[in-house]
Amino acid sequence: MSKVIAELVIRGSQDIFKQASDFLDKAIKEKGPAQKIGFPETAFYLPAANALLGAKVETLKDVLPILEHAKSLLPDIPSEKVWLPYLGDALNAGMSTLFCEEIIVALRYLYGQEPQKDCNGFFTDNILRSLGIQLVDGRMSGFAAILGAAPDNKTAVEIIRQLQERNILIFVGSQSEGRSIIDQLLEENIQMGWDNYIVPYGRDTISAVYALNWAIRAALTFGGVKPGEAQKCLMYMKERVLAFALALGKVDEIKCATAAAAINMGFPVIADTDIPEIKASGITTYEALVKELNYKNIVPRCIEVRGIKVKVSSVPIPVAYAAAFEGERVRREQLYVEFGGKASAAFEYLTTLESNAVEDGKFELIGPDIDQLEKGKRSMPLAIIAEVAGRKMQKDFEPILERQIHRFVNYAMGIMHVGQRDMNWIRISNDTFNKGFRLKHLGVILHAMLHQEYSAIVDKVQVKLYTRQEDVDKMVATAQKAYGERDERLSGMNDESVDTFYSCLLCQSFAPNHVCIVTPERLGLCGAYSWLDAKASYEITPTGPNQPIIKGGITDDRLGQWKNINEFIYNKSNKTVEKVSMYSLMDAPQSSCGCFECIAAVIPEANGVMIVHRDHSGMTPSGMTFTTLAGSVGGGVQTPGFLGIGKLYIVSRKFISAEGGLKRVVWMPKELKDILADKLKKRAEELGESGLIDKIADETIATTAEELVSFLAKVNHPALTMEPLI
Ligand code: SF4
Ligand code: ZN
C-alpha cells in the first residue's frame, strides 16, 4: 500500500475521531450523560458498534466506551523511516472511522440535523427485510455507494442508468468540491427513492456510514450472526453482501478514511481519479482499491472488481429494460396514455392452447395503436391476451405465468403496471412514447421474458391486444370465467390432498441455515411462494431451490410433523434444525430467515397470539414494535413463541392449528385486518365464531397487554377460556 494513501487514511480517521469526540462532549454537557440516543426503527442500537463490539448503546454515556475503543484503534502517522507497506494500520484506522462516523450521525439525529434535505438518512431494518426477496431471487444484484460528483450531469446520469440496468441498488451522496451527485440527479429530474434503486443518504462523506451500518445488519438479520461476533460478521459481508464504493472526484482525507472502513468490510473502492491502487489484499475478494479514468468503463469495472453476477434481460424495445425500473411511477404530468384503473376497461389473461394453435412470436393488435389516440384523450381500453403452448405446460401454471405480466411490463422504463387480472392499470409516459414505444412492444416484452424465465415449461408464446371497447367487453367474460375456476381449484386444495410438499432454499444465500417448507395451506413466510409457485419452479429448474419432498408417514398429526420433512430440514439446515412443526407456534416452529411479511408472537397475559405486519410501525401489546420483535426472530433459528409468516397463512385452516388456530388471535393492526377482511370473516364463520374479528383488538383499542386483557374480557374473547398456552 502506498504511503500517501495510508497517510491520508490515518489523518482522516484522526480528524473524524476528533469530530466525534468534540460532538459527544458538547452533547453530554448540554443534555447530560443519561440522554437517550439512537436511530429510528432499528433493533440494533448503533448497528456497527452492536454488530462488531456487542455494545448496546442507549444513552450518551454508553457512547464513551465505543469512542475509547475507536481511539485505541487509531494508528500514528507513518514516519519516513519505519514505514512498512502493510494494510494493518490503515484498516484499523478504517474501523475507528466506522465507529466514529456512526456516533456522529447518531448525535446529529439527537440534534435534529438528520436526515438532510432530500435525503433518506438512516436506513431502517425494515427496508432490509422488505428487499430480502429481491436480493435472493436476483432482481437486485448488488449495492453501490457513490461518493462525490461526476464531472458533469450527463456523466452522472449515464453512470446511474448503467447501474440501474444492472439491477444494482445505488446509494448516492457526499460531495466533491462542493458539488454532490444528489444535486446532479435532482437537476436532471431523475426519480429517486427505494423503488427506483437510487437512495440519497446525505451530502457529506460522514453520512455514507448509513450504507455501511445498513450492510452490517444483513449479517444480524439474515445471517444468524450474534452481536459481538466481529470476525463472523466481517466474513459474512465479504462473502454475501455484494457492495462496492465508487468515489467520484477528488479523494480527500475523510473519503480515504471512509473508504478504508468499506474495505474492512470486504467492499472494494473504485475511483475516477489517479490514485495509487491497492491490489488483492485478502480483505476484499479481488482488488481493494482501483482507479478507472474512463467513464464508459467505470461501471463494468466496478462489477468486475466486486465479482457481481449480473443477469441482463435483453428485450428489444426502444427504452431501457431492467428490474430496477420495476417500482418507478408514471405521474399524471408525465402521462401519455393509460389503460385500466379508473381510466378505462382493461384486463390481462394468460391461457394455454394446443401447440398447433400457437405461432411463436406472433403479435396481433386488433384496434388502434397508441399513436392513433383520439385528440384530447389520455386513455384507451385494453385486453392483453397471452397464449402459450408447451409440452410441460400445466393448467396450474397459468396463474403463475399470468402474474409475471405485472413484473415484466414494469421493468420497462417509463411504464407503470399495477394490479392484475381485470383490475390492472397500465401507464405509459410521454418520454417512452416519444422514444418510439408502441403497443407491439408489450408483445415483444411478454414473448421475450416468458421464454427467458419459463423456457422449461413454455415452448411457444403469442400475444393479442385488443383496444376497442366492444372487443374488450366481449373477451373479458372468458377471462373472468377462468379466474373464477382457478380460485375454486386453489381453495379446494389442502395439505391432505397432496402427497408432496416443496422446500424453498432461496433465502439460504443470506440465511444459510434457513429452510421454508411450502404446503398447499401454508405459503412461504415472504408471501411470494405458494405451493403451486414452488411446484412450477421445480418443473422449471429441477435442481433449483424448490425441491419436492414426499411427505411419507406423519409422526405428529396435531403439530404437523412428518418424518421425511424433518429429515430433509435437518440435512438442509446444516444440521442445525432437527424438526419442524408445520402447524405450531410453540413446539418446534419453523425457523425464520428475516424477510417475513408478519410476525406472530405469544402474549402470555392474554393466553393468546398477536400478529403484526411489516408496515405497522406503532407499538404492539407485546411491548415491542415490529422492528424490535423482528430483531429477535430470524437468521434461520427456531424461536418458540415467535414465528415469521406470510400474510395469507393467517387465514389458512392450518394457521397454528396446534394452538387452536385463528381463535387464538387477540390482536392485529387495523390495516392488516382490513387487508384480509373478507378472508378473515369467512374463516371465522367456518370456525363457528362469526363475531371473532370484532373481538380481535387493534391499535385503536389496545397497545399494552393490560389494555388488551381488559378488552378481551369485555368482549369475551375465546382465547381466555382456551387451554393455557404456556
Ligand atoms: Fe425465502 Fe422462504 Fe420465501 Fe423461499 S419461501 S424466498 S426461503 S422466505
Ligand atoms: Zn427469506
Side-chain angles (χ1 to χ4, degrees):
M1 177 188 219
S2 102
K3 178 155 175 288
V4 189
I5 292 279
E7 237 184 271
L8 283 172
V9 169
I10 295 167
R11 279 189 207 288
S13 65
Q14 288 176 342
D15 180 344
I16 291 166
F17 171 77
K18 181 153 191 317
Q19 286 190 40
S21 164
D22 291 351
F23 202 171
L24 182 64
D25 280 350
K26 169 177 141 82
I28 291 182
K29 221 169 270 152
E30 291 175 4
K31 305 195 185 257
Q35 168 66 45
K36 289 232 173 296
I37 184 171
F39 294 114
E41 295 182 45
T42 178
F44 305 110
Y45 311 92
L46 304 200
N50 185 238
L52 300 171
L53 307 174
K56 295 181 176 174
V57 173
E58 289 177 287
T59 62
L60 291 177
K61 184 163 47 52
D62 301 338
V63 180
L64 291 165
I66 312 296
L67 204 60
E68 264 317 299
H69 184 77
K71 189 175 179 191
S72 74
L73 290 169
L74 277 184
D76 295 326
I77 306 282
S79 76
E80 212 54 66
K81 285 197 196 97
V82 298
W83 166 246
L84 294 167
Y86 298 136
L87 268 180
D89 272 359
L91 288 178
N92 281 341
M95 208 54 130
S96 169
T97 299
L98 175 67
F99 295 128
C100 291
E101 290 186 333
E102 185 173 80
I103 291 168
I104 293 171
V105 289
L107 288 167
R108 286 188 194 161
Y109 261 98
L110 180 60
Y111 279 88
Q113 299 163 358
E114 289 280 340
Q116 302 171 29
K117 187 168 174 287
D118 309 312
C119 296
N120 188 99
F122 181 81
F123 309 142
T124 65
D125 296 0
N126 244 356
I127 287 169
L128 188 62
R129 288 177 202 289
S130 59
L131 295 181
I133 287 293
Q134 273 148 284
L135 292 170
V136 296
D137 73 7
R139 270 179 289 163
M140 198 168 269
S141 56
F143 309 92
I146 300 186
L147 295 95
D152 51 68
N153 289 9
K154 201 169 147 265
T155 310
V157 173
E158 190 49 36
I159 290 173
I160 291 293
R161 289 300 185 221
Q162 284 197 30
L163 289 166
Q164 280 182 307
E165 281 166 26
R166 289 167 174 81
N167 297 325
I168 289 176
L169 179 62
I170 318 153
F171 300 113
V172 291
S174 177
Q175 53 176 287
S176 165
E177 284 156 306
R179 186 120 171 95
S180 173
I181 185 163
I182 298 176
D183 296 303
Q184 295 184 313
L185 299 177
L186 284 173
E187 283 161 23
E188 296 301 309
N189 284 320
I190 302 294
Q191 277 187 36
M192 293 195 255
W194 293 97
D195 285 344
N196 297 293
Y197 285 43
I198 312 172
V199 186
Y201 52 82
R203 286 181 179 79
D204 66 325
T205 302
I206 289 174
S207 54
V209 74
Y210 290 132
L212 296 176
N213 78 5
W214 190 68
I216 253 182
R217 276 172 279 161
L220 303 171
T221 308
F222 300 110
V225 175
K226 307 248 156 25
E229 296 180 331
Q231 274 316 312
K232 260 184 157 175
C233 181
L234 294 174
M235 277 309 277
Y236 182 94
M237 284 186 292
K238 175 185 166 190
E239 283 166 12
R240 295 176 193 270
V241 182
L242 296 178
F244 60 87
L246 176 55
L248 297 177
K250 190 169 169 282
V251 182
D252 58 19
E253 292 173 3
I254 306 286
K255 272 191 199 154
C256 277
T258 308
I263 291 172
N264 244 320
M265 295 165 71
F267 307 153
V269 179
I270 296 86
D272 67 347
T273 47
D274 195 9
I275 41 127
E277 300 189 312
I278 307 174
K279 299 292 188 188
S281 72
I283 303 294
T284 49
T285 313
Y286 304 108
E287 296 93 328
L289 177 64
V290 299
K291 62 183 172 200
E292 175 55 67
L293 308 182
N294 181 346
Y295 292 100
K296 290 229 155 28
N297 297 342
I298 208 161
V299 170
R301 186 84 177 108
C302 293
I303 307 287
E304 182 196 330
V305 171
R306 186 57 180 112
I308 294 176
K309 300 222 177 359
V310 179
K311 225 171 68 193
V312 213
S313 324
S314 73
V315 178
I317 55 170
V319 290
Y321 190 84
F325 303 112
E326 185 178 347
E328 159 214 36
R329 314 286 298 176
V330 173
R331 291 187 227 103
R332 184 138 275 284
E333 321 76 86
Q334 307 162 307
L335 175 69
Y336 175 74
V337 65
E338 61 186 328
F339 315 92
K342 290 192 184 83
S344 69
F347 71 94
E348 57 204 34
Y349 173 50
L350 181 139
T351 186
T352 319
L353 298 183
E354 287 299 325
S355 182
N356 55 18
V358 182
E359 187 185 319
D360 188 42
K362 184 169 158 197
F363 171 78
E364 280 178 89
L365 172 61
I366 298 108
D369 203 338
I370 52 178
D371 49 8
Q372 293 150 338
L373 196 61
E374 280 173 49
K375 221 174 148 40
K377 278 212 131 176
R378 282 282 163 271
S379 69
M380 275 173 125
L382 181 68
I384 302 178
I385 299 182
E387 295 167 332
V388 304
R391 254 160 308 177
K392 290 183 77 184
M393 183 63 196
Q394 298 178 19
K395 266 272 165 235
D396 278 349
F397 299 158
E398 286 177 0
I400 295 167
L401 300 191
E402 186 182 287
R403 220 173 47 215
Q404 313 308 321
I405 295 177
H406 168 71
R407 195 160 52 84
F408 294 164
V409 171
N410 257 332
Y411 283 8
M413 196 173 157
I415 303 198
M416 178 179 103
H417 184 290
V418 179
Q420 52 167 327
R421 292 187 169 182
D422 53 356
M423 292 178 302
N424 63 349
W425 179 28
I426 302 174
R427 281 185 155 187
I428 299 179
S429 76
N430 272 315
D431 262 2
T432 295
F433 173 78
N434 290 334
K435 285 192 178 126
F437 194 94
R438 297 295 176 266
L439 287 177
K440 70 164 186 257
H441 294 119
L442 289 177
V444 172
I445 291 173
L446 297 183
H447 176 256
M449 291 306 285
L450 284 167
H451 273 300
Q452 186 175 312
E453 294 194 5
Y454 294 93
S455 59
I457 49 178
V458 169
D459 299 333
K460 297 199 263 182
V461 182
Q462 67 186 18
V463 178
K464 293 179 183 147
L465 300 187
Y466 296 83
T467 56
R468 284 199 200 97
Q469 187 70 42
E470 57 274 23
D471 290 333
V472 176
D473 289 345
K474 198 171 79 204
M475 319 284 302
V476 77
T478 320
Q480 280 165 341
K481 186 160 164 274
Y483 302 151
E485 284 165 7
R486 284 175 191 170
D487 290 347
E488 210 140 284
R489 174 155 162 60
L490 263 182
S491 67
M493 205 177 270
N494 57 46
D495 287 3
E496 292 77 27
S497 69
V498 300
D499 58 5
T500 305
F501 291 164
Y502 287 87
S503 66
C504 189
L505 303 179
L506 210 50
C507 281
Q508 288 205 342
S509 60
F510 276 92
N513 297 336
H514 175 71
V515 181
C516 269
I517 299 292
V518 183
T519 81
E521 292 181 275
R522 181 168 181 178
L523 79 171
L525 55 87
C526 56
Y529 281 82
S530 71
W531 183 82
L532 266 182
D533 293 312
K535 180 170 184 248
S537 148
Y538 168 67
E539 298 284 340
I540 292 159
T541 324
T543 54
N546 302 105
Q547 292 298 315
I549 315 165
I550 310 249
K551 285 190 295 186
I554 192 158
T555 51
D556 193 315
D557 232 343
R558 189 180 68 91
L559 295 173
Q561 285 196 15
W562 290 261
K563 188 166 155 283
N564 292 356
I565 304 284
N566 282 341
E567 267 169 23
F568 183 95
I569 290 184
Y570 183 61
N571 286 324
K572 295 293 176 180
S573 68
N574 302 311
K575 309 208 176 347
T576 58
V577 177
E578 282 182 15
K579 54 182 183 175
V580 161
S581 309
M582 291 309 296
Y583 309 144
S584 174
L585 169 75
M586 302 305 291
D587 192 337
Q590 183 159 278
S591 66
S592 302
C593 43
C595 50
F596 33 76
E597 288 189 300
C598 306
I599 298 175
V602 165
I603 305 274
E605 298 89 332
N607 196 35
V609 170
M610 58 151 274
I611 307 170
V612 57
H613 65 308
R614 209 160 48 203
D615 295 335
H616 185 75
S617 56
M619 188 41 84
T620 77
S622 67
M624 289 184 265
T625 60
F626 176 89
T627 302
T628 320
L629 271 168
S632 49
V633 188
V637 194
Q638 291 177 301
T639 324
F642 298 87
L643 187 61
I645 53 173
K647 275 187 201 126
L648 284 179
Y649 178 51
I650 301 169
V651 290
S652 157
R653 282 193 314 134
K654 296 297 193 310
F655 172 68
I656 57 168
S657 53
E659 282 85 32
L662 194 62
K663 281 200 265 183
R664 275 290 179 189
V665 177
V666 292
W667 191 93
M668 273 163 102
K670 200 169 168 311
E671 189 185 48
L672 184 58
K673 272 200 217 172
D674 288 344
I675 295 170
L676 295 172
D678 295 344
K679 297 191 173 80
L680 280 171
K681 196 159 161 265
K682 197 162 148 242
R683 184 69 200 118
E685 276 161 14
E686 276 170 23
L687 287 168
E689 285 276 353
S690 53
L692 180 62
I693 310 310
D694 296 329
K695 295 181 182 175
I696 300 177
D698 57 37
E699 72 278 16
T700 64
I701 296 166
T703 50
T704 64
E706 239 171 31
E707 288 167 0
L708 178 64
V709 172
S710 85
F711 171 78
L712 299 176
K714 205 171 75 196
V715 295
N716 200 13
H717 191 289
L720 296 179
T721 52
M722 286 165 86
E723 236 178 89
L725 259 183
I726 296 178

